[in-house]
Structures are given as structure tokens and as C-alpha cells.
Amino acid sequence: MAFKHISITQTQALLNQDDVVIADIRDPNSYQAGHIPGSEHLSNANIGEFMMNKEFDQPIIIVCYHGMSSQGAANYLAEQGFEDVYSMDGGFTQWETQLPEQVER
């Protein structure tokens, strides 16, 4: 079972679903400066708690800066048994460029 890629547009469409989790793996300062509304900050410090609080079939979208680091994190969650894991292509940098009105600061 591997993770899947998801576009900015597809992510935006899924934001309205209650069970979708957006996990932002950027550093804490970058996350505080701006993030996708409703996203959670995910780090090595809280990944254990994060995994205990999520359902294995819950859609989880991993966001990083440019869509590269998120692939490793998404792969890790898929290896842990999560079934619906995505890496957002383009990362938060592209999200902010494409959808500046949808950035929570």
C-alpha cells in the first residue's frame, strides 16, 4: 500500500469533508506564519499521538514546502497501515500562490 499524489485543486475540494486531515510537516515558524485552514502541524514530536488519534481509513493529506518532503512522510504513514494517504503536489508554497485567500495566519 502506497501513498497517492493529490493536486492543490483536489485538496481544496476535499477541505469541505469532515473526516479529511491536512497534516503540515513544515517547521513550526513556517506553520505559524501561514497554513491551510484547518490543518494540523505534524512533527516528529507529535507523530505518535497523531497516529493514535486518526482512523486508518481516514483521508490524510501531507503538506510540506514544495511537495517533496511530504512524499516521505506520506509513505511512512502508509507503511504504518494508513490506507488513504496523499502527498500534496506543489506543497504550501504553490497553495499560497494559487489560493492566497485560503491561508490562515
Side-chain angles (χ1 to χ4, degrees):
M1 183 76 199
F3 71 92
K4 300 172 276 284
H5 290 269
I6 191 167
S7 71
I8 303 284
T9 307
Q10 290 168 312
T11 300
Q12 183 187 20
L14 289 177
L15 279 180
N16 301 328
Q17 294 182 15
D18 290 340
D19 63 338
V20 172
V21 176
I22 311 270
D24 191 321
I25 63 168
R26 296 174 303 140
D27 72 88
N29 290 338
S30 296
Y31 178 79
Q32 288 300 327
H35 53 269
I36 297 171
S39 65
E40 300 179 30
H41 186 249
L42 180 60
S43 68
N44 288 337
N46 69 354
I47 187 137
E49 182 182 350
F50 176 88
M51 291 191 304
M52 285 191 310
N53 292 322
K54 304 302 178 228
E55 299 296 328
F56 282 110
D57 61 351
Q58 197 169 14
I60 300 174
I61 302 171
I62 308 294
V63 177
C64 65
Y65 295 96
H66 303 288
M68 303 308 271
S69 301
S70 57
Q71 294 179 48
N75 192 52
Y76 176 77
L77 288 176
E79 287 174 349
Q80 303 309 305
F82 289 89
E83 301 161 13
D84 202 12
V85 183
Y86 301 87
S87 169
M88 190 176 81
D89 294 334
F92 182 77
T93 305
Q94 187 176 336
W95 176 279
E96 191 171 31
T97 301
Q98 243 178 276
L99 304 165
E101 72 287 350
Q102 290 192 30
V103 173
E104 192 173 303
R105 298 191 190 278

